[in-house]
Amino acid sequence: MSALPVGGPGLPQRRNLVTEIPGPASRALAARRSAAVAPGVSSVLPVFVTAAGGGVLVDADGNSLIDFGSGIAVTSVGNSASRVVDRVTSQVAQFTHTCFMVAPYEGYVEVCEELARRTPGDHPKRSALFNSGAEAVENAIKIARHYTGRSAVVAFDHAYHGRTNLTMALTAKNMPYKQGFGPFAGDIHRVPMAYPLRWPGGPQACASEALDTVKALIHAQVGEENVAAVIIEPIQGEGGFIVPPDGFLRDLAAFCASQGIVFIADEVQSGFCRTGDWFASEHDGVVPDLVTTAKGIAGGLPLAAVTGRSEIMDAVHVGGLGGTYGGNPAACAAALGAIETMEAEDLASKARRIGEIMLPRLRKLAGEHPVIADVRGRGAMIAIELTRPGTLEPDPATTAAVANYCHSRGLITLTCGTFGNVIRFLPPLVIGEDLLEEGLGILEDAFASLEA
Ligand code: PLZ
C-alpha cells in the first residue's frame, strides 16, 4: 500500500480527479460503513477522506476536492493548521485529560481569557467550556433561567440550535432533526424571523415590521416578565443563511435589555471571523448578554463555550455547570492555535475578501439564471436561494441537482434551509483565491448544465 498523503503545509492545493466520484476505494469503505454505522448518521459526500488542509480534501482514491464547506464552518483555519497541530501534539504528549472539575490546567483559563477579549463588549466576562454547540446552547439556557428566575425561552422560525432534547425544541425544522424524537422540552416559544426575502410585503416591510411583530407576540402569548432568554443566530445557519435587516438585532437586544430578558447570540456557526468580524453580532453593534461558540473556535477539535456578563455567569451556584470533557486540554490547545492563526493571518479580512470575490460572481449568475431568487450573506458565509423562477416556491430538486453536479466535479458544497433550497458556501478562510475562483467556475458550469 502506498503511503497516504499527509495534511498540513505540504498538501498540494489543487483540484485533481483521478477516478470517478466516488472511486473504488471509497465505494468499498461505503459498503463496510453500511454494515457497521447507524444509517441515521448521514454524509453529504460519498468519498472517504485521508488528508485535508488549506482548501482541499484528499480521498481514499487519491482525488483532491475543493472544500466550500469547512466541515460545516469548523475548519476556518484549515484542517491541519500548523499552529493547531503543533500545540495539540505537544499537549497530548504532556497529558490528554485530567477533567477540569478534578484538577485544572492553564489552557482552559487561557481560552476563557481569549473569549473575554474577543467577544463583543468590554464589560467583565466569564466563560464555561463544553464539547459541542448544542451543549453550549443548553448551558446558556440553564444560566439564563437560573439568573432571571424565569423559564420561558423565545426562539425564531428557521432557527437551528442543535439535536439534544432542549436544543431540538429550540430548532425549528422538523425533518430530519425532530421527526419521531419527541416529546420536546417545554416553555419554548417561536416567533417569526426577520427573513427579508419571505417576509409578507418584502424586504422593506420586513425591516420596518419584524421587531414589532416579535414584541407583540411575546407580549400577547408569553408575557415579557416570564421570558428568561431570547436566543437568535445573528445570521441563521442551517435554516438558510438568513441575514436579518440592519438594526433588527440591535433593536431586539435593546428590547431584551428593557425587559430584563437575557439576549443570547448563538454564534456557533457565524463566529470566529467567519462573517468578516470576529463575531457576526458586531456588524449591528450588538453586545449580547451571553454568546455561544463552537465550530470555528478550535480548528476541528470539539470545543464549545458560553461567554457572558459576569453578573449573569456568576449567578450559578458552584458545581452547577460542567461535564467530564468540557474544555479538554487538547481541544483548548487547538483553540489557542486557531485563535493565534486568526490573529496572525488576519482571517477576518480574508473572510471579507472571500465575500468580495464571491458575491459579484454569484449576483451575475443570479442575473443569468432566474432560478436563483436571492444571493445573501456576509464575509465567507454566503448562500444562494433557489425558487421556481418568478415565485417564492422553493426548488429543492434543482438545489440538489446543482450540489450533486459540484460534488461529481470535485467541489464540496453544502445545502441548507428549512425548505432544502439553499446552497451555502463556507470555504476555509485560508483557501487560495485560485481555488475559490475555480470552485465558482464549477458552480457556474452546474447552472449551465441545467439548461443543457
Ligand atoms: N447552533 C447556530 O449551526 C450546528 C449542524 C449539523 P453542534 N450546525 C451544524 C447537523 O446536521 O447536526 C449548530 C449551529 C448553531 C448550534 C449548533 C449545534 O452545534 O456542535 O452540532 O452540537
Side-chain angles (χ1 to χ4, degrees):
M1 200 172 140
S2 60
L4 292 173
V6 289
L11 193 65
Q13 294 296 301
R14 59 156 199 270
R15 182 178 68 108
N16 183 31
L17 299 187
V18 296
T19 70
E20 72 281 9
I21 301 287
S26 281
R27 290 201 302 271
L29 283 162
R32 274 173 57 198
R33 171 199 174 132
S34 47
V37 179
V41 183
S42 65
S43 302
V44 172
L45 279 187
V47 300
F48 281 74
V49 176
T50 57
V56 299
L57 259 59
V58 178
D59 77 10
D61 293 283
N63 299 298
S64 178
L65 295 85
I66 301 175
D67 184 9
F68 275 13
S70 297
I72 324 189
V74 171
T75 53
S76 298
V77 297
N79 320 58
S80 47
S82 52
R83 291 178 186 86
V84 173
V85 172
D86 293 348
R87 282 185 183 254
V88 172
T89 309
S90 61
Q91 177 59 52
V92 295
Q94 288 303 120
F95 62 94
T96 56
H97 177 80
T98 62
C99 184
F100 194 73
M101 299 188 310
V102 174
Y105 37 86
E106 187 179 357
Y108 190 116
V109 178
E110 264 186 283
V111 170
C112 296
E113 289 168 348
E114 287 293 343
L115 284 162
R117 196 171 300 139
R118 309 282 172 186
T119 51
D122 47 21
H123 51 280
K125 295 171 197 159
R126 311 258 196 264
S127 292
L129 303 183
F130 303 98
N131 303 293
S132 68
E135 210 189 337
V137 169
E138 291 241 1
N139 279 279
I141 302 294
K142 281 167 64 175
I143 294 163
R145 283 177 166 162
H146 200 292
Y147 171 71
T148 58
R150 307 171 178 180
S151 70
V153 177
V154 172
F156 286 80
D157 284 339
H158 310 288
Y160 184 92
H161 297 293
R163 294 176 183 261
T164 57
N165 188 263
L166 176 58
T167 61
M168 271 193 294
L170 294 167
T171 290
K173 186 174 176 173
N174 180 50
M175 265 310 266
Y177 307 123
K178 301 166 78 165
Q179 175 67 35
F181 297 142
F184 303 110
D187 221 354
I188 309 277
H189 305 269
R190 198 165 302 288
V191 293
M193 177 61 183
Y195 188 167
L197 180 72
R198 293 185 178 278
W199 192 267
Q204 289 299 336
C206 181
S208 60
E209 296 169 8
L211 185 68
D212 287 341
T213 304
V214 168
K215 289 201 291 198
L217 280 170
I218 291 176
H219 181 74
Q221 299 186 6
V222 197
E224 296 83 350
E225 68 278 18
N226 300 316
V227 181
V230 168
I231 181 164
I232 189 165
E233 301 153 81
I235 295 180
Q236 287 185 320
E238 304 305 306
F241 280 33
I242 300 161
V243 186
D246 282 352
F248 176 77
L249 294 172
R250 187 195 56 223
D251 297 346
L252 179 65
F255 163 74
C256 290
S258 74
Q259 301 296 333
I261 298 169
V262 175
F263 179 82
I264 306 173
D266 182 351
E267 294 254 17
V268 165
Q269 189 152 167
S270 58
F272 283 101
C273 300
R274 174 54 54 187
T275 64
D277 291 303
W278 275 85
F279 294 93
S281 302
E282 290 169 51
H283 176 81
D284 234 6
V286 171
V287 179
D289 297 316
L290 300 179
V291 183
T292 54
T293 52
K295 291 190 185 282
I297 190 176
L301 271 77
L303 188 72
V306 181
T307 301
R309 296 183 186 280
S310 298
E311 66 269 25
I312 300 177
M313 299 296 287
D314 291 355
V316 177
H317 50 276
V318 172
L321 303 173
T324 305
Y325 291 115
N328 168 271
C332 287
L336 295 171
I339 292 167
E340 191 187 340
T341 306
M342 290 175 201
E343 175 80 52
E345 301 184 11
D346 192 6
L347 294 188
S349 297
K350 291 266 173 59
R352 288 195 290 275
R353 172 86 185 131
I354 288 169
E356 282 158 16
I357 293 172
M358 296 194 87
L359 284 170
R361 275 183 79 170
L362 293 173
R363 289 195 182 113
K364 182 165 176 289
L365 193 65
E368 294 156 3
H369 300 278
V371 68
I372 303 175
D374 199 15
V375 177
R376 59 181 179 246
R378 239 181 5 248
M381 186 169 183
I382 304 281
I384 53 178
E385 175 160 354
L386 278 61
T387 64
R388 298 273 306 277
T391 76
L392 287 177
E393 193 188 321
D395 189 346
T398 303
T399 306
V402 169
N404 288 338
Y405 178 100
C406 292
H407 299 165
S408 72
R409 301 300 193 280
L411 172 69
I412 301 163
T413 55
L414 307 177
T415 60
C416 65
T418 300
F419 315 110
N421 66 326
V422 177
I423 304 177
R424 56 174 152 175
F425 308 106
L426 292 163
L429 305 182
V430 295
I431 194 171
E433 288 187 12
D434 48 344
L435 285 182
L436 195 63
E437 302 275 7
E438 189 179 349
L440 286 166
I442 294 168
L443 183 78
E444 289 159 357
D445 293 346
F447 278 94
S449 80
L450 297 173
E451 258 113 78

